[in-house]
């Protein structure tokens, strides 16, 4: 059950030129945070002075339900996210949470392999915590970005995972795409794939998947309402050979990686 709640900004810090981390207290809403799973998202009003604007979607990057806090990792890409970046510690914003489905956990002897591109790293960071809490194996985490600065390693390397990095310009790690790095390393016979990132990355990953591997992807679709009313986040999917239109906010954002039309 989602609900509207009032957030207090605890921290809002710049991690790289346009990448930020905001940490919020959800006040009395700890019962909502207990239900958050990796892959879910929240809609935050980024400008409290402009009530006519839609709230913007943010994946949970980290949740501490005991302290009733959570973090979002975001890129400043326009006026709304710039407005969020301008908020200071102690200021209040409203949000609806939690929204969407989440990733499912590995089964049997499956090894989690996480593949993130750019800002798509956010829900996968939270998945690292969830896997650790569930006593699962430490994941291999493939993270690709434009350049070393955008890897924000001082933040992401605190999460429990074995990181492998790729950058477009070769300034850190493998030079090239994160999918090529994963193909070079090999998926492994027991890999279960979790992905989030731009569609070209997901499409390349889908093409490279070994037949045996289960794979889920959290889609980064542009959203308006976030609650299934505007149809702004529609995607084409295929399930058991049947084409369907799904809404990322209502039916996702996590889908079978193979079932999405890219
Ligand atoms: Fe409006 Fe999904 S964002 S229907």
């Amino acid at each position: 059950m989602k609900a509207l709640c009032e957030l207090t900004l605890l921290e809002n810090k710049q991690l790289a030129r346009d990448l930020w981390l905001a940490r919020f207290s959800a006040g009395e809403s700890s019962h909502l945070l207990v239900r958050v799973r990796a892959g879910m998202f929240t809609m935050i009003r980024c400008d409290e002075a402009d009530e006519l604007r839609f709230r913007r979607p943010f994946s949970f990057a980290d949740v501490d339900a005991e302290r009733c806090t959570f973090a979002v990792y975001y890129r400043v890409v326009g006026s709304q996210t710039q407005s969020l970046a301008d908020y200071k510690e102690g200021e209040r914003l409203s949000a609806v949470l939690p929204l969407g489905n989440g990733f499912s956990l590995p089964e049997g002897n499956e090894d989690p392999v996480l593949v993130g591109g750019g800002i798509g790293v956010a829900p996968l960071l939270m998945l690292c915590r969830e896997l650790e809490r569930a006593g699962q194996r430490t994941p291999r985490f493939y993270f690709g970005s434009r350049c070393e600065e955008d890897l924000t390693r001082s933040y992401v390397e605190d999460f429990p995972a074995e990181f492998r990095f790729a950058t477009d310009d070769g300034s850190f790690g493998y030079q090239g795409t994160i999918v090529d790095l994963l193909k070079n390393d090999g998926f492994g016979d027991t890999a279960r794939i979790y992905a989030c990132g731009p569609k070209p990355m997901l499409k390349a990953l889908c093409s490279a998947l070994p037949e045996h591997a289960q794979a889920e992807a959290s889609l980064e679709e542009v959203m308006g309402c976030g609650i299934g009313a505007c149809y702004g986040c529609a995607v084409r999917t295929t399930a058991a050979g049947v084409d369907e239109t799904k809404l990322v906010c209502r039916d996702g954002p996590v889908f079978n990686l193979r079932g999405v039309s890219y």
Side-chain angles (χ1 to χ4, degrees):
M1 174 72 79
K2 62 183 180 287
L4 181 63
C5 65
E6 176 136 325
L7 308 177
T8 303
L9 188 58
L10 301 176
E11 178 184 32
N12 200 14
K13 76 176 176 195
Q14 191 169 13
L15 300 175
R17 52 194 162 155
D18 56 0
L19 294 169
W20 288 69
L21 179 78
R23 198 176 302 278
F24 297 96
S25 164
E28 304 298 306
S29 304
S30 57
H31 59 291
L32 298 175
L33 292 187
V34 167
R35 291 205 294 273
V36 175
R37 293 188 359 247
M40 290 181 166
F41 65 100
T42 175
M43 299 289 290
I44 299 176
R45 190 177 299 292
C46 294
D47 183 354
E48 286 294 337
D50 187 354
E51 291 200 352
L52 294 179
R53 294 276 197 113
F54 283 130
R55 293 185 170 84
R56 304 309 316 148
F58 298 90
S59 292
F60 292 98
D62 208 1
V63 170
D64 185 335
E66 279 182 20
R67 292 192 171 85
C68 203
T69 66
F70 70 89
V72 300
Y73 175 98
Y74 65 100
R75 170 168 281 143
V76 172
V77 289
S79 61
Q80 291 277 315
T81 41
Q82 182 58 59
S83 173
L84 177 58
D86 290 340
Y87 273 90
K88 303 281 183 276
E89 188 181 316
E91 293 191 289
R92 298 191 163 211
L93 298 92
S94 66
V96 178
L97 64 94
L99 294 162
N101 57 5
F103 293 110
S104 51
L105 291 177
E107 294 169 9
N109 69 342
E110 289 177 328
D111 283 304
V113 177
L114 284 45
V115 187
I119 200 73
V121 73
L124 302 176
L125 292 173
M126 179 160 171
L127 182 59
C128 294
R129 294 256 191 259
E130 208 164 288
L131 291 167
E132 184 180 54
R133 273 198 300 271
Q136 296 276 350
R137 295 174 187 164
T138 303
R140 278 191 285 158
F141 196 141
Y142 286 80
F143 178 19
S145 204
R146 298 173 295 193
C147 60
E148 181 177 13
E149 183 186 6
D150 288 358
L151 294 172
T152 59
R153 287 167 48 227
S154 61
Y155 176 62
V156 304
E157 285 183 333
D158 272 349
F159 288 80
E162 292 166 10
F163 283 95
R164 301 277 284 137
F165 296 107
T167 49
D168 295 342
D169 65 2
S171 52
F172 190 83
Y174 176 83
Q175 179 168 13
T177 74
I178 197 64
V179 175
D180 283 342
L181 175 57
L182 173 55
K183 285 197 301 194
N184 287 351
D185 284 357
F187 283 81
D189 293 340
T190 53
R192 185 183 182 105
I193 309 296
Y194 301 90
C196 186
K199 280 203 174 141
M201 184 202 90
L202 297 179
K203 185 175 180 183
L205 180 61
C206 193
S207 304
L209 279 181
E211 216 172 290
H212 62 80
Q214 298 288 324
E216 294 178 348
S218 177
L219 302 187
E220 299 178 308
E221 212 58 36
V222 174
M223 287 191 195
C225 67
I227 53 169
C230 73
Y231 277 65
C233 63
V235 290
R236 301 288 296 165
T237 63
T238 306
V242 179
D243 285 345
E244 286 184 289
T245 298
K246 298 273 189 188
L247 298 180
V248 173
C249 68
R250 186 193 64 193
D251 305 313
V254 176
F255 295 88
N256 182 334
L257 176 65
R258 291 186 176 88
V260 177
S261 304
Y262 299 104

